[in-house]
Amino acid sequence: MKLAQLVAQTGEHEATIQVLCHLLEAERTNVFLVKDISNEVAEQTIKIIEQYKNGTPLAYLLGSTYFYNRKFLVNENVLVPRHDTEVLVDLAEKKIIADSIIGHEYTPYRILDLCCGSGIIGISLAYLCDWLRQRHKDLQYEITAVDYSQSALELAAKNAALHHADINFVHSDLLEDVPQQFDVIVCNPPYVRTMDIGVEDKRTLKEPRIALDGGVDGLFFYRRILATAKKNLRANGMILFEIGYDQAKPLEKIALQLGYHSVKVYKDLANHDRVVTIRV
Ligand SMILES: C[S@@+](CC[C@H](N)C(=O)[O-])C[C@H]1O[C@@H](n2cnc3c(N)ncnc32)[C@H](O)[C@@H]1O
């Protein structure tokens, strides 16, 4: 069967390409070059796309997805990584690079991926730290990743092994069992208002509620984290939060009320407020 015929049958162009990449273990461009898709592969694709159309995220059906062009294992115990989170990682990278150029005040330089889920943030930053270490042998980095979900931690550890990332995984209710101080805390907490879950995209109903539910106003986790985070931040430390498009102002208010400084807001590619950075 030709690709165009299969797409016509599934009615889903992008999802069909992604499924074929997975089943054929092929690069995206090579999928377009396949002259004849076997009946077996076509049947498997149609089956997967049916489940996708019924509301299951494609990443769960394929068992993996891509973040920053790197492949990560995903299952129904973790949030499906979103491209928006790359903005958060970009900004964390800028801070880590800037601090590394100046030289680390404390050794090792400590990074915390709080609410780590599948581990995409900490693992992406581990690639940067490896790269920096190769250039400056004196620099040392320590990455910790925290989640309350044991099954998320198990999957994150598998992803870390897959990417040869050296990360300490800690089971903790936010910062409760985290005694160390960090130079950077990166956090994509649950921030969807309880009543909004599943409203924009029914597929989110298949994702773990613990990964999405940010309470009545979506700000529950920011309040809890900021209430205690000062004890976990070094003098020049920064906390970077991913936020919903309308949460910058209320989060800024919470941070300033709690005595934090230098609150900055950054936008994503769609020009929505997406990340807030806060200093002690
Ligand atoms: C929005 S997901 C982010 C996952 C991942 N960092 C990402 O960006 O794809 C939020 C994560 O917070 C975790 N979480 C929820 N409540 C928590 C708590 N009290 N303490 C630690 N982690 C928590 C969830 O299990 C989930 O993995």
Side-chain angles (χ1 to χ4, degrees):
M1 181 187 288
K2 294 213 181 318
L3 176 60
Q5 289 171 308
L6 182 58
V7 170
Q9 271 202 36
T10 61
E12 292 283 342
H13 182 269
E14 180 52 33
T16 302
I17 303 296
Q18 285 187 40
V19 174
L20 287 173
C21 287
H22 178 81
L23 293 177
L24 301 172
E25 294 178 25
E27 295 284 329
R28 196 182 166 83
T29 39
N30 290 339
V31 165
F32 293 99
L33 300 175
V34 176
K35 290 212 169 77
D36 185 29
I37 297 162
S38 71
N39 286 343
E40 195 191 341
V41 169
E43 274 165 27
Q44 273 179 287
T45 306
I46 290 165
K47 237 188 207 164
I48 293 172
I49 298 289
E50 260 169 34
Q51 294 175 71
Y52 169 71
K53 282 177 160 174
N54 284 334
T56 305
L58 202 52
Y60 291 164
L61 295 165
L62 304 182
S64 63
T65 192
Y66 286 82
F67 182 75
Y68 255 123
N69 267 344
R70 297 185 182 112
K71 193 172 179 175
F72 287 88
L73 302 175
V74 172
N75 64 27
E76 61 290 339
N77 297 311
V78 297
L79 185 91
V80 175
R82 310 289 205 266
H83 289 300
D84 288 337
T85 304
E86 291 180 1
V87 181
L88 179 67
V89 173
D90 279 347
L91 286 160
E93 287 192 343
K94 280 192 183 132
K95 157 86 175 145
I96 296 165
I97 292 169
D99 287 351
S100 301
I101 289 170
I102 296 164
H104 296 169
E105 197 177 332
Y106 306 95
T107 299
Y109 186 90
R110 289 212 193 103
I111 299 162
L112 174 64
D113 175 3
L114 183 59
C115 299
C116 69
S118 57
I120 49 161
I121 298 173
I123 294 167
S124 301
L125 296 178
Y127 275 99
L128 173 71
C129 293
D130 279 349
W131 185 83
L132 288 165
R133 215 171 356 225
Q134 278 167 25
R135 271 142 197 87
H136 305 277
K137 299 272 181 254
D138 299 342
L139 299 179
Q140 286 179 42
Y141 302 87
E142 192 180 281
I143 304 180
T144 303
V146 163
D147 207 286
Y148 192 62
S149 156
Q150 290 282 13
S151 25
L153 284 171
E154 276 167 31
L155 187 76
K158 276 189 194 159
N159 275 320
L162 212 66
H163 290 274
H164 309 289
D166 185 10
I167 296 181
N168 310 315
F169 288 99
V170 177
H171 177 247
S172 173
D173 182 0
L174 299 181
L175 295 163
E176 266 183 25
D177 293 311
V178 184
Q180 298 91 344
Q181 289 200 314
F182 298 88
D183 299 275
V184 180
I185 299 179
V186 197
C187 181
N188 178 15
Y191 60 73
V192 183
R193 288 182 193 86
T194 309
M195 63 180 287
D196 290 345
I197 294 173
V199 171
E200 256 183 45
D201 180 0
K202 67 175 178 175
R203 264 173 248 288
T204 56
L205 292 171
K206 299 269 181 173
E207 292 181 287
R209 210 168 172 97
I210 186 180
L212 296 167
D213 195 343
V216 180
D217 62 0
L219 301 166
F220 175 78
F221 285 89
Y222 302 113
R223 275 193 205 94
R224 264 197 71 198
I225 294 164
L226 287 176
T228 65
K230 277 186 196 162
K231 74 166 172 56
N232 294 100
L233 281 165
R234 282 174 169 165
N236 188 32
M238 180 189 273
I239 181 155
L240 300 94
F241 283 121
E242 178 167 324
I243 56 161
Y245 71 95
D246 57 354
Q247 292 175 327
K249 279 269 168 293
L251 176 53
E252 182 175 18
K253 198 170 159 198
I254 294 167
L256 295 177
Q257 273 171 353
L258 288 167
Y260 290 87
H261 300 285
S262 182
V263 180
K264 289 189 184 158
V265 182
Y266 297 86
K267 292 191 183 293
D268 60 21
L269 289 176
N271 211 30
H272 294 136
D273 290 343
R274 183 57 61 198
V275 173
V276 165
T277 64
I278 299 168
R279 288 181 184 272
V280 205

